[in-house]
Amino acid sequence: MKKYILLLILFPLFAFSQKMVSKDVVEIKKFQEDLNAEYLNPKETPLRGDNFTNFKGHPFFPFDLKYKVTATFTKTKDAKPFDLPTSSGKTKSYREYGKATFELDGKSYTLTLYQSLDLIKQKKYKNYLFLPFRDATNEKETYGGGKYMDLTIPKGNTIILDFNKSYQPFCAYNAYDYNCPIVPEENKLPVEIRAGIMYEDIYHH
């Protein structure tokens, strides 16, 4: 009888966790589909010429929910605007908004989140946070300049970082027409983040 009661308790928990996993996978699939649609749209794509003609879709790492982490969020007090260098040698204005500390494989890491001082002037971007990062996959399976993640200002003291939704700057595909923020030194992770978009030489041929 006790075993039966335990099964009744555990089964709904298992079903709930399976539902959560499938919801996460659906969200990641939508992110990938939307990103591919953007690059296949001649009005939005950074791809030019044969790169656009030959583009069939991005390569991605397999979904891995290990790389969806709940980070402790600490807002930065009295952050001053600063100029973030870009790929073209120019700069863009940002300010540090906060820090996100998370664990991966038992080790703790911290990344800094920024606000674009240009974008927050637009109503739809007033809650937008920018997370550029590098990791140990760069120059191998991912773009040497690192990847980006889009986030929104959290309501509490935690923030979800889903590296499965990380993408490459437009400069990875077209260095001539775009001016991309360079990942700050403080956001270079000493581990492999095997999630999100991968790099492919198709963009250079």
Side-chain angles (χ1 to χ4, degrees):
M1 185 66 181
K2 282 182 181 175
K3 281 185 182 175
Y4 178 70
I5 291 168
L6 187 62
L7 279 172
L8 284 177
I9 293 167
L10 289 177
F11 182 73
L13 287 174
F14 174 76
F16 177 73
S17 81
Q18 288 296 98
K19 197 173 179 182
M20 289 298 289
V21 167
S22 61
K23 181 174 174 285
D24 287 331
V25 170
V26 166
E27 279 184 15
I28 296 163
K29 279 188 80 168
K30 184 179 185 311
F31 165 80
Q32 294 182 354
E33 287 164 4
D34 289 349
L35 196 65
N36 282 335
E38 179 186 345
Y39 279 67
L40 288 163
N41 182 338
K43 292 179 181 176
E44 296 182 336
T45 186
L47 300 170
R48 299 288 178 265
D50 288 347
N51 285 351
F52 176 67
T53 308
N54 298 331
F55 182 74
K56 300 291 185 287
H58 292 101
F60 294 94
F61 284 106
F63 304 149
D64 192 341
L65 295 182
K66 170 176 114 171
Y67 294 110
K68 180 179 181 179
V69 296
T70 301
T72 301
F73 177 76
T74 310
K75 188 175 178 184
T76 304
K77 292 177 183 174
D78 304 321
K80 303 283 188 292
F82 72 98
D83 292 329
L84 190 58
T86 68
S87 53
S88 69
K90 298 177 182 176
T91 59
K92 290 187 177 184
S93 295
Y94 283 83
R95 74 170 163 230
E96 182 180 312
Y97 190 83
K99 293 191 182 291
T101 300
F102 62 97
E103 282 201 1
L104 198 61
D105 294 330
K107 291 188 177 175
S108 181
Y109 304 98
T110 298
L111 290 170
T112 303
L113 286 61
Y114 306 94
Q115 266 190 328
S116 162
L117 297 185
D118 292 326
L119 280 182
I120 57 171
K121 293 172 188 168
Q122 300 177 43
K123 192 177 178 183
K124 67 175 179 176
Y125 290 114
K126 69 185 175 91
N127 290 322
Y128 170 79
L129 295 178
F130 175 55
L131 174 54
F133 69 95
R134 290 190 65 186
D135 70 274
T137 66
N138 298 156
E139 296 178 359
K140 292 183 284 187
E141 295 109 322
T142 60
Y143 176 55
K147 296 201 281 185
Y148 296 165
M149 207 187 304
D150 297 332
L151 301 163
T152 51
I153 294 172
K155 289 187 169 65
N157 58 359
T158 60
I159 188 167
I160 301 290
L161 307 182
D162 190 348
F163 291 98
N164 294 283
K165 296 179 184 176
S166 57
Y167 62 94
Q168 289 167 164
F170 276 2
C171 300
Y173 313 92
N174 179 351
Y176 303 104
D177 295 337
Y178 294 96
N179 183 22
C180 307
I182 293 170
V183 177
E185 203 63 36
E186 62 189 347
N187 274 7
K188 292 183 180 178
L189 295 169
V191 288
E192 289 189 337
I193 303 290
R194 303 182 62 76
I197 202 166
M198 298 175 76
Y199 193 56
E200 208 171 63
D201 279 342
I202 178 178
Y203 311 125
H204 287 303
H205 297 307

